[in-house]
Structures are given as C-alpha cells and as structure tokens.
Amino acid sequence: MRKTAKVNDDQLVSFIDHGGTGPAVLLLHSYLMDADMFAAQVQALGGAFRLIAMDERGHGDTSAENPFTYWDVARDALGLLDELGVARCAVIGTSQGGFIALRMALLAPQRVAALALLGTSGSAEDPEVAAGYRQAAAAWRENGPTQELLDLNAAICLGQHDATEWQAKWRRLSGDHIDRVLTPLVERDSVLDRAREIGCPALVLHGSADAAYAVDRARELASALPNAEPPVIIDGGAHFLSLTDAEAVNPHLRAFLDRSLDVE
C-alpha cells in the first residue's frame, strides 16, 4: 500500500515500504514508470531485505509542481529515508533511477551502503538523442499520446516486453507533464568526473539490446566507480532490464546485496 511522506519542507513523496527485518534497500524506478515496476524484485528479494520503493517526482503518485533536477530527487530520496528512520541503505536504480542513485551517493556517501545500477549512465545526455526526445515530447503536446508515440517509448524502454499496463498509464499524461519530467533527463549533468568520490561497492548491469544507452556506457560507468565490479551484460536485455529481464537480473542483485551488506 502506498503511503505519503513530506520531505524537503513541502515536497510530498509517495512510496511503498514493503517491510521486512533485513537490511534496507531503496528501489528507484525509470523514466515514466513508478514504484510498481519492481514487483519482480519484491517477490525475489523481499524475504531477505526491507525493500522501499518510491515514486519519483512527476511519476506515480508523487507530483512535480515546479521544475526540478535529479539532484532535487536525490534529496527527496534522502528525505524519505530520514522520515523512515533509515540511516543507511543500498540503492537499486534503473535508468533514471540510476541517475538519482549516483547523485544520492555524491550528496550523502555515508548513507549509501551499495549501489546497483541498471541500464543507466553517468554521462550527460547525448545532444542528438536529447533533441529527438524533445521532438517526441512536442508531438505529444500537439497531438496527445498517439499510439505511435506510445509504441516508440515502449520500444526504447521495454524492447519486446509487454507494454500494455504501462501504455495505459502513459495515456493519462499531458504534454505539459511530459515536458516537466523530460527536462531533468535531457538536461542532466555528467557525474563521471566525480564518480571517484563514490566509494561504496557498486554493481553495473546492462542489457546488450539496450535501445537507449550502448553497452559502452556501462563500461564507462563501472570504470569510473572505484569499487565497482566488472559490468554484467545481460544477453538480449532491454533498457529497463530490472523489469524486462528480471529472471536474469535478480540472481545478480541478490548475490551483490548479500556480499555488500553482509547478509548471512
């Protein structure tokens, strides 16, 4: 069941605390998704960890009334941990969630015990790709969420995975809303030059069929993080691979969390 917490003075954040007595793990979802995208991880990992999934600004039941950056969302996440009395936790972030997880670790390294980063990048968005996304957002604003736009988003993010449930959610989004949540993505800064400051254990996973970021982004990120393991490449994995390729991903997540958090 979703609950709401007030963080950073006046930002309301929707979240699901799945409970459990094991070490805390924060789950950070992808662009245009919400906390529900981690259902497979909750099923696979919930017996060993306290899993907390939040709806990030402008996603799920968390509003975004004003412009924001991923640094702001990272502060939201840290504020949520404060509200829940969680001093330190591991963070799993997919795509956009990885952008936020990295910024959490830079803002408060003592709070992040381990990072699992899936289908993400430490770089700024490629200008040509950003221009393409803005063009699609303009079409959404002008014509609404046409099936062509919904299918395009699904192909980039979910590959061959069934997108029916998520497309139904996307259909409810206005063009103004798309602009609001896309801007942080296409205008984000690179954190690669600061990645050496992130000393916690890190695991980078990436799909070989990721349509948003080449596998080189995973290698680049793993190389920049001082305590990252060699990247794990999931054969045929799509961009949002914690959802699309959960069966292949979950054993890697479980093993990494076990050894990073000293789970017996």
Side-chain angles (χ1 to χ4, degrees):
M1 178 181 295
R2 277 173 165 77
K3 299 180 180 179
T4 302
K6 183 177 286 189
V7 303
N8 300 330
D9 297 328
D10 58 0
Q11 177 65 45
L12 292 176
V13 171
S14 172
F15 69 96
I16 307 171
D17 186 347
H18 293 282
T21 58
V25 179
L26 180 66
L27 305 173
L28 297 175
H29 63 76
S30 309
Y31 173 71
L32 294 188
M33 307 298 274
D34 59 38
D36 294 338
M37 79 170 286
F38 287 109
Q41 283 70 49
V42 171
Q43 182 176 8
L45 306 175
F49 305 95
R50 177 188 177 185
L51 301 179
I52 302 162
M54 66 176 274
D55 290 337
E56 296 145 21
R57 282 200 205 190
H59 295 76
D61 291 338
T62 299
S63 65
E65 303 300 329
N66 300 300
F68 66 94
T69 71
Y70 289 139
W71 292 99
D72 295 319
V73 187
R75 293 183 182 94
D76 293 345
L78 293 166
L80 175 60
L81 297 180
D82 290 339
E83 290 297 314
L84 296 178
V86 176
R88 196 164 183 260
C89 70
V91 184
I92 297 174
T94 301
S95 187
Q96 172 177 279
F99 307 152
I100 297 162
L102 287 164
R103 286 157 177 79
M104 287 181 67
L106 288 168
L107 287 170
Q110 73 282 4
R111 311 273 316 258
V112 178
L115 284 174
L117 306 164
L118 301 92
T120 196
S121 170
S123 301
E125 195 61 71
D126 179 272
E128 291 187 8
V129 173
Y133 289 164
R134 286 202 181 279
Q135 184 176 11
W140 195 303
R141 190 168 56 252
E142 181 176 353
N143 303 313
T146 63
Q147 192 61 49
E148 181 180 4
L149 286 170
L150 295 174
D151 288 344
L152 174 64
N153 195 72
I156 293 171
C157 299
L158 302 174
Q160 300 301 311
H161 188 80
D162 183 7
T164 304
E165 171 190 355
W166 297 103
Q167 287 194 352
K169 295 185 179 186
W170 299 340
R171 282 191 182 92
R172 300 195 291 266
L173 302 178
S174 69
D176 287 343
H177 187 90
I178 294 295
D179 280 342
R180 178 65 52 82
V181 298
L182 178 65
T183 297
L185 190 154
V186 297
E187 294 185 358
R188 73 182 187 277
D189 54 335
S190 173
V191 296
L192 288 177
D193 60 340
R194 294 188 58 194
R196 63 185 180 279
E197 301 173 31
I198 301 174
C200 67
L203 175 66
V204 177
L205 297 102
H206 211 88
S208 67
D210 191 315
Y213 299 121
V215 171
D216 284 349
R217 295 284 76 77
R219 298 191 180 103
E220 174 184 65
L221 181 57
S223 295
L225 294 166
N227 285 318
E229 303 180 9
V232 175
I233 309 304
I234 303 298
D235 187 34
H239 183 38
F240 291 175
L241 75 166
S242 57
L243 171 65
T244 62
D245 299 86
E247 186 174 342
V249 162
N250 286 341
H252 292 287
L253 291 177
R254 177 59 194 265
F256 172 70
L257 292 172
D258 282 351
R259 60 183 177 267
S260 300
L261 303 178
D262 295 323
V263 175
E264 295 182 358

